[in-house]
Amino acid sequence: MVRCSNNLIGILNVLTFFLSIPIIIGGVWLRNQGDSECEKFLDTPVIVLGVFLLLVSIAGIVGAFCRVSWLLWIYLLVMFLLIVILFSFTIFAFVVTNKGAGKVLSDRGYKEYRLGDYSNWLQKRVNSTKNWNKIKSCLIDAKVCSSFSDKYVKDTVTEFYKENLNALQSGCCKPADECNFTYVSPTQWTAPATFNSSNPDCSAWGNDATTLCFNCQSCKAGLLDNLKSDWKKVAVVNIIFLIVLIIVYSVGCCAFRNNRRDNDYWKR
């Protein structure tokens, strides 16, 4: 008699199988149609994820419905490894995003961000020239500062200083306050004759739309602040996903035990 646990595992993997197909198609589409560095950067992980889900789903479906114990064993092994990896990543995400916060400025609606405030591991990732060139390309393609400029273009200097800018806008789209640039527009600033600050970001600023402060330490810090917030959200989702995986893994163990019992029965 087919047991409930086998049916449940089979149905769950049928759903995962159908989910993997659009993921693979999306990855292939990104590879063939992607124009920007960002889109091309995503295609391989998306395809790998889709193929992984496809193969695991097939193993789960055949193992549960056709009562193939060795396939179900492989399925459970992969599930166990996935649980361990997900648990490890969740702990890691909480650890590396534990440090770092924006600096509150007097009479400003926004904060400013310093790279040294964040974890060493994150700093090394963005300080890599190869990594940062790709990230910078993505920020420019996403028009982070172009949309920022359009939104606040009518602001006077007083109004601009009161705006509640996000971390990327504050770090990448304007010079640091301590550099004492003169405001012209949100992305146009006049540099002083001499810099009284030792901040290297002051000399890194440029009014060109593809330069701005994209090479500044503050831009990297702004990205890390965004990343910190996103990773914490992902970590919370991962905890929920872990609970679901553990439940599915438990049901899979029951299905595997059922298959073993049935195989032993037919051998008698």
Side-chain angles (χ1 to χ4, degrees):
M1 186 177 77
V2 179
R3 291 172 173 81
C4 179
S5 56
N6 289 67
N7 286 336
L8 184 56
I9 285 295
I11 291 169
L12 288 172
N13 282 280
V14 168
L15 295 175
T16 308
F17 175 84
F18 285 115
L19 175 65
S20 68
I21 295 173
I23 292 176
I24 294 173
I25 293 173
V28 173
W29 183 87
L30 282 175
R31 173 162 292 182
N32 294 330
Q33 303 296 326
D35 296 322
S36 70
E37 189 69 35
C38 304
E39 292 172 333
K40 292 177 181 178
F41 178 74
L42 288 172
D43 59 6
T44 301
V46 169
I47 292 173
V48 170
L49 174 63
V51 172
F52 173 78
L53 287 175
L54 181 71
L55 295 177
V56 172
S57 300
I58 291 173
I61 291 168
V62 176
F65 286 148
C66 300
R67 320 291 274 278
V68 181
S69 294
W70 67 270
L71 268 180
L72 202 54
W73 185 87
I74 292 175
Y75 171 78
L76 289 175
L77 176 62
V78 172
M79 287 289 289
F80 176 77
L81 292 175
L82 184 59
I83 289 171
V84 172
I85 292 170
L86 202 57
F87 178 78
S88 301
F89 173 77
T90 302
I91 298 299
F92 175 75
F94 276 117
V95 171
V96 298
T97 59
N98 191 44
K99 293 176 62 179
K103 179 185 176 183
V104 178
L105 302 175
S106 177
D107 297 325
R108 299 289 187 267
Y110 50 81
K111 298 177 182 179
E112 289 200 335
Y113 301 85
R114 299 180 184 277
L115 186 59
D117 293 339
Y118 296 85
S119 73
N120 291 332
W121 188 87
L122 289 175
Q123 288 185 50
K124 288 178 181 178
R125 304 286 84 75
V126 295
N127 275 327
S128 163
T129 302
K130 181 180 178 181
N131 289 345
W132 185 248
N133 284 339
K134 289 181 179 179
I135 294 169
K136 183 170 65 174
S137 172
C138 291
L139 293 175
I140 294 171
D141 289 341
K143 303 186 186 304
V144 169
C145 292
S146 298
S147 57
F148 156 85
S149 178
D150 293 341
K151 183 176 181 180
Y152 301 118
V153 68
K154 295 182 179 180
D155 279 8
T156 64
V157 62
T158 303
E159 290 171 336
F160 180 79
Y161 284 148
K162 298 295 182 183
E163 297 291 1
N164 183 23
L165 309 182
N166 63 39
L168 282 176
Q169 291 171 341
S170 177
C172 305
C173 306
K174 67 168 194 61
D177 276 33
E178 65 182 280
C179 297
N180 293 318
F181 277 69
T182 302
Y183 176 85
V184 179
S185 74
T187 55
Q188 296 290 311
W189 298 75
T190 303
T194 57
F195 294 119
N196 295 322
S197 171
S198 59
N199 189 339
D201 288 355
C202 298
S203 57
W205 170 267
N207 285 327
D208 184 85
T210 58
T211 304
L212 300 180
C213 223
F214 288 121
N215 292 314
C216 296
Q217 298 294 298
S218 63
C219 188
K220 297 175 181 179
L223 175 80
L224 293 186
D225 198 78
N226 267 18
L227 189 66
K228 172 184 173 180
S229 176
D230 291 341
W231 273 27
K232 285 193 172 179
K233 293 174 185 176
V234 169
V236 172
V237 173
N238 281 350
I239 292 172
I240 298 171
F241 190 43
L242 266 173
I243 294 171
V244 174
L245 278 180
I246 291 170
I247 293 172
V248 173
Y249 180 77
S250 300
V251 175
C253 288
C254 292
F256 179 73
R257 184 178 59 191
N258 293 341
N259 286 0
R260 292 288 297 273
R261 286 177 178 174
D262 289 344
N263 290 338
D264 290 342
Y265 173 81
W266 289 109
K267 287 178 181 178
R268 293 176 183 175

